[in-house]
C-alpha cells in the first residue's frame, strides 16, 4: 500500500521521560510505516527548553496557531528537584500553562472506554468529557487572616475614583479568614464559546452548572453569559445538530452525572473542574486511558494525554528493566491530531487511518492484550499482560489486517 500523504503539517511537540520513549515507538511502529508524516517538529524536552530559555515552547504555540493542529507529548514541569537533576538555568514554567495562555484555550478531558474495564460507577457506559474553565476564581484569589474586632469590606474603585463598599463581616468574639475572588466576562465568554463549539464538533450535549441560587451576582453572571451566547449564537446550530445545552445547579449536576450513562460534555467552573476531573478520571479507570485536547475559541486544536511523563517507569527503563506503560492516551493524541488534520484538509484517507488505528487499539485490549495498569482492572478471563513495546506490536498486527 502507498503511504498516505499529508498536504499540511501538524505541529509535533516532543516531550520527556517515559512518554518520550513511547512517542518514538508510536511513530516508528504505527504511524510512519503508513503515513508520509508531515510535522513541524519542536523538542519540548526539558533539556532543549533549558537550552532555548523556553523559547521553543513559545515557538511551538505560535506554530500551532499557524497550522491549527498540534500533538503534544507529556513534559516535565520543573520543581526544585528537577533544577539539580537537569542543571537548569531557571525553574521554567509549565509548558502547558504557556501554551494555554498563548492559545487562550479550554481543556477538554475524556476517557477512552473499553469492554472488560467497568467504571467504578458501572452505569457509566459512554465517556463523560470534562471542560474546565482555566481562569480566575480561587486560583487567582487574595486572602487574609483577620483578627477579632476587625471589620472586612469589599471596596471597589471605578475609573472615575468613585468607591463602592459592601460589608463582608464584622469579626466579634473570634479571629477569622476572608477571601477575594474575581473573574472577567471576556474569559467566561471565551470559555462558553469553546464549550459550545466543542459540543457541535463532537455532536454531544453540553451541561453547565454553578451555584447561582446562593451566589446571585458571581455565579449568576456565569449562567447569564452562557445563556446569552447560547441563545444568540448557537441555539439554531444546536437544533440542527440535534444536541442540547442544559443548565442546572452544581449539586443537582453531580447527582445527575452519577446516575447518568455518560455521553455528554460537562462544563465546569475552575474549582469544580479541578475536583470533578480527578473524580471522573479515577472512576473511569486508568490515567493511561484519559485524553486531553486544548481548543481555542478560534478553532485551534492541541491534543495530548492527560497523564504526565510516568517518571517511575522511566527510571525502571533506564536501569534496563522491562516496563509495561500504557501508550493509549498518547496514541489517541496522535490519532486525534491526524483525524482533525484530515477533516480540515478534506483528506479522508488520513481521517480513516486515524479511525482504524483507534479501532485496532481498542480491539487489542478487548482481545485481552494489555499493559499492567489495565491488567489489574480488567475482568476479561483471557487477559494477558504485555510490555510497552509488545503492546504496540500487537496493535500493529491488528491494524495491518484492516488496511
Ligand atoms: P504521571 O506521570 O501521570 O504518573 C503518575 C502515576 O500514574 C505513574 O507513576 C503510574 O503509576 C500512573 N500512570 C500515569 N500514566 C500512566 C501510563 N500511561 N501507564 C501506566 N501508568 C501510568 O504523574 P507524576 O508522576 O505526578 O508526574 C511525572 C512528571 O510529569 C512530572 O515531572 C510532572 O511535572 C509531569 N506532568 C506533565 C503533564 C503534562 O505534560 N501534561 C501532566 C502531569 C504531570 P504507577 O507508578 O503506580 O505504575
Ligand atoms: Mg485536580
Amino acid at each position: 500500500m502507498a503511504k498516505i500523504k499529508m498536504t499540511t503539517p501538524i505541529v509535533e511537540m516532543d516531550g520527556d521521560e517515559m512518554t518520550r520513549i513511547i512517542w518514538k515507538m508510536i511513530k516508528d511502529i504505527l504511524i510512519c510505516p503508513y503515513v508520509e508524516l508531515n510535522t513541524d517538529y519542536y523538542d519540548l524536552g526539558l533539556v532543549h527548553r533549558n537550552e532555548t530559555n523556553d523559547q521553543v515552547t513559545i515557538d511551538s504555540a505560535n506554530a500551532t496557531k499557524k497550522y491549527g493542529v498540534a500533538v503534544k507529548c507529556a513534559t516535565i514541569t520543573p520543581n526544585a528537584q528537577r533544577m539539580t537533576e537537569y542543571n537548569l538555568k531557571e525553574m521554567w514554567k509549565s509548558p502547558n500553562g504557556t501554551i494555554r495562555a498563548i492559545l487562550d484555550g479550554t481543556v477538554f478531558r475524556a476517557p477512552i472506554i473499553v469492554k472488560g474495564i467497568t467504571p467504578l460507577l458501572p452505569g457509566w457506559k459512554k465517556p463523560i468529557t470534562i471542560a474546565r474553565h482555566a481562569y480566575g476564581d480561587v486560583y487567582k484569589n487574595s486572602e487574609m487572616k483577620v483578627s477579632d474586632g476587625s471589620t472586612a469590606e469589599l471596596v471597589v474603585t471605578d475609573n472615575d475614583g468613585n468607591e463602592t463598599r459592601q460589608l463582608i463581616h464584622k469579626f466579634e468574639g473570634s479571629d477569622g479568614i476572608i477571601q477575594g475572588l474575581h473573574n472577567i466576562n471576556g474569559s467566561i465568554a471565551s470559555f462558553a464559546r469553546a464549550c459550545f463549539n466543542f459540543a457541535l464538533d463532537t455532536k454531544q450535549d453540553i451541561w453547565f452548572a454553578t451555584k447561582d441560587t446562593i451566589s446571585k451576582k458571581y455565579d449568576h453572571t456565569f449562567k447569564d453569559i452562557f445563556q446569552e451566547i447560547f441563545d444568540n449564537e448557537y441555539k439554531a446550530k444546536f437544533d440542527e445538530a440535534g444536541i442540547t445545552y442544559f443548565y442546572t445547579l452544581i449539586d443537582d449536576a453531580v447527582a445527575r452525572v452519577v446516575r447518568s450513562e455518560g455521553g455528554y460534555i460537562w462544563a465546569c467552573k475552575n474549582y469544580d473542574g479541578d475536583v470533578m476531573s480527578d473524580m471522573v478520571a479515577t472512576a473511569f479507570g486508568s490515567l493511561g486511558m484519559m485524553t486531553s485536547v486544548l481548543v481555542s475559541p478560534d478553532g485551534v486544536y492541541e491534543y495530548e494525554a492527560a497523564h504526565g511523563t510516568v517518571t517511575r517507569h522511566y527510571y525502571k527503563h533506564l536501569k534496563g528493566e522491562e516496563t509495561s506503560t500504557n501508550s493509549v492516551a498518547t496514541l489517541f493524541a496522535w490519532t486525534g491530531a491526524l483525524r482533525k488534520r484530515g477533516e480540515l484538509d478534506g483528506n479522508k484517507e488520513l481521517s480513516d487511518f486515524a479511525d482504524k488505528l483507534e479501532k485496532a487499539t481498542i480491539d487489542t485490549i478487548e482481545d485481552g492484550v494489555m499493559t499492567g495498569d489495565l491488567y489489574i482492572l480488567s475482568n476479561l478471563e483471557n487477559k494477558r499482560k504485555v510490555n510497552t513495546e509488545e503492546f504496540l506490536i500487537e496493535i500493529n498486527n491488528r491494524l495491518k489486517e484492516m488496511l
Side-chain angles (χ1 to χ4, degrees):
M1 158 192 149
K3 285 196 192 183
I4 299 164
K5 297 222 175 0
M6 290 174 64
T7 45
T8 324
I10 56 178
V11 174
E12 175 181 355
M13 304 170 175
D14 208 344
D16 288 301
E17 299 195 311
M18 199 61 209
T19 40
R20 189 179 179 99
I21 308 283
I22 287 174
W23 194 258
K24 183 165 184 326
M25 283 183 185
I26 289 173
K27 283 167 61 182
D28 288 349
I29 299 171
L30 292 172
I31 298 176
C32 292
Y34 308 106
V35 178
E36 234 169 63
L37 190 61
N38 179 0
T39 71
D40 191 14
Y41 179 89
Y42 296 84
D43 182 0
L44 301 198
L46 187 50
V47 173
H48 193 240
R49 271 183 279 149
N50 191 53
E51 280 166 6
T52 62
N53 298 329
D54 209 25
Q55 184 60 39
V56 65
T57 307
I58 295 164
D59 292 346
S60 73
N62 286 329
T64 303
K65 274 187 164 170
K66 176 172 169 197
Y67 291 117
V69 184
V71 56
K72 180 179 172 290
C73 181
T75 47
I76 293 168
T77 299
N79 55 16
Q81 184 247 320
R82 301 292 195 175
M83 292 291 289
T84 36
E85 183 183 353
Y86 282 83
N87 195 15
L88 300 180
K89 295 185 236 176
E90 238 180 76
M91 204 185 284
W92 306 111
K93 284 194 256 173
S94 149
N96 286 53
T98 303
I99 295 165
R100 195 167 60 212
I102 293 175
L103 299 181
D104 181 25
T106 296
V107 174
F108 296 84
R109 274 176 148 210
I112 298 153
I113 296 197
V114 288
K115 285 194 204 87
I117 295 174
T118 311
L120 294 171
L121 287 153
W124 287 358
K125 308 279 185 229
K126 298 177 200 162
I128 296 170
T129 302
I130 298 247
R132 174 181 171 188
H133 184 213
Y135 180 82
D137 301 350
V138 71
Y139 303 87
K140 281 219 191 295
N141 73 349
S142 169
E143 48 183 39
M144 284 184 210
K145 292 191 175 194
V146 176
S147 56
D148 187 12
S150 307
T151 300
E153 291 176 290
L154 283 177
V155 180
V156 175
T157 313
D158 73 15
N159 234 348
D160 304 322
N162 307 311
E163 271 186 8
T164 311
R165 288 172 172 264
Q166 193 174 312
L167 179 69
I168 298 172
H169 191 66
K170 268 189 163 61
F171 291 84
E172 290 166 349
S174 174
D175 295 348
I177 43 183
I178 60 166
Q179 184 178 58
L181 308 184
H182 82 278
N183 221 299
I184 46 186
N185 293 358
S187 173
I188 300 168
S190 285
F191 176 53
R193 289 196 177 91
C195 288
F196 292 137
N197 285 338
F198 196 72
L200 283 169
D201 206 36
T202 59
K203 298 259 183 307
Q204 296 184 90
D205 292 344
I206 182 147
W207 299 12
F208 182 48
T210 72
K211 195 72 181 175
D212 65 281
T213 46
I214 299 296
S215 172
K216 291 188 167 62
K217 299 241 164 71
Y218 199 103
D219 277 22
H220 213 293
T221 298
F222 279 82
K223 177 184 178 181
D224 291 343
I225 290 175
F226 264 70
Q227 194 63 52
E228 192 185 322
I229 290 177
F230 178 73
D231 291 342
N232 292 339
E233 300 172 28
Y234 290 95
K235 191 173 181 317
K237 292 181 204 158
F238 269 50
D239 287 347
E240 197 182 321
I243 57 174
T244 55
Y245 167 54
F246 172 60
Y247 177 86
T248 186
L249 279 174
I250 184 69
D251 30 4
D252 180 51
V254 170
R256 284 173 187 264
V257 165
V258 168
R259 285 197 307 264
S260 78
E261 60 163 33
Y264 50 85
I265 302 161
W266 184 11
C268 292
K269 286 180 61 200
N270 210 348
Y271 177 82
D272 298 336
D274 185 349
V275 176
M276 291 306 163
S277 63
D278 284 356
M279 189 273 284
V280 168
T282 306
F284 269 112
S286 168
L287 257 181
M289 301 294 276
M290 188 62 70
T291 62
S292 177
V293 54
L294 177 75
V295 183
S296 81
D298 46 348
V300 167
Y301 290 74
E302 183 242 305
Y303 294 85
E304 64 181 309
H307 60 75
T309 59
V310 213
T311 311
R312 198 182 65 81
H313 296 211
Y314 180 59
Y315 291 154
K316 273 179 78 178
H317 171 83
L318 287 182
K319 280 193 252 166
E321 290 171 31
E322 184 167 79
T323 58
S324 182
T325 313
N326 190 338
S327 48
V328 172
T330 305
L331 178 51
F332 273 58
W334 273 100
T335 52
L338 293 173
R339 183 187 300 105
K340 180 54 73 180
R341 183 78 280 163
E343 281 169 20
L344 293 176
D345 294 355
N347 186 345
K348 187 165 183 308
E349 226 192 335
L350 190 62
S351 301
D352 287 350
F353 172 76
D355 290 343
K356 285 176 185 156
L357 182 46
E358 287 183 0
K359 179 160 193 315
T361 306
I362 288 169
D363 286 355
T364 304
I365 301 168
E366 293 185 346
D367 285 348
V369 180
M370 60 195 82
T371 47
D373 56 318
L374 299 184
Y375 183 82
I376 298 169
L377 300 171
S378 171
N379 50 34
L380 295 181
E381 301 215 330
N382 61 340
K383 64 182 176 179
R384 180 159 68 87
K385 177 180 163 180
V386 291
N387 70 33
T388 308
E389 186 170 15
E390 282 164 357
F391 180 65
L392 295 171
I393 292 169
E394 288 276 352
I395 295 172
N396 191 36
N397 292 339
R398 287 161 181 80
L399 178 65
K400 273 189 262 181
E401 300 281 303
M402 292 180 197
L403 294 174

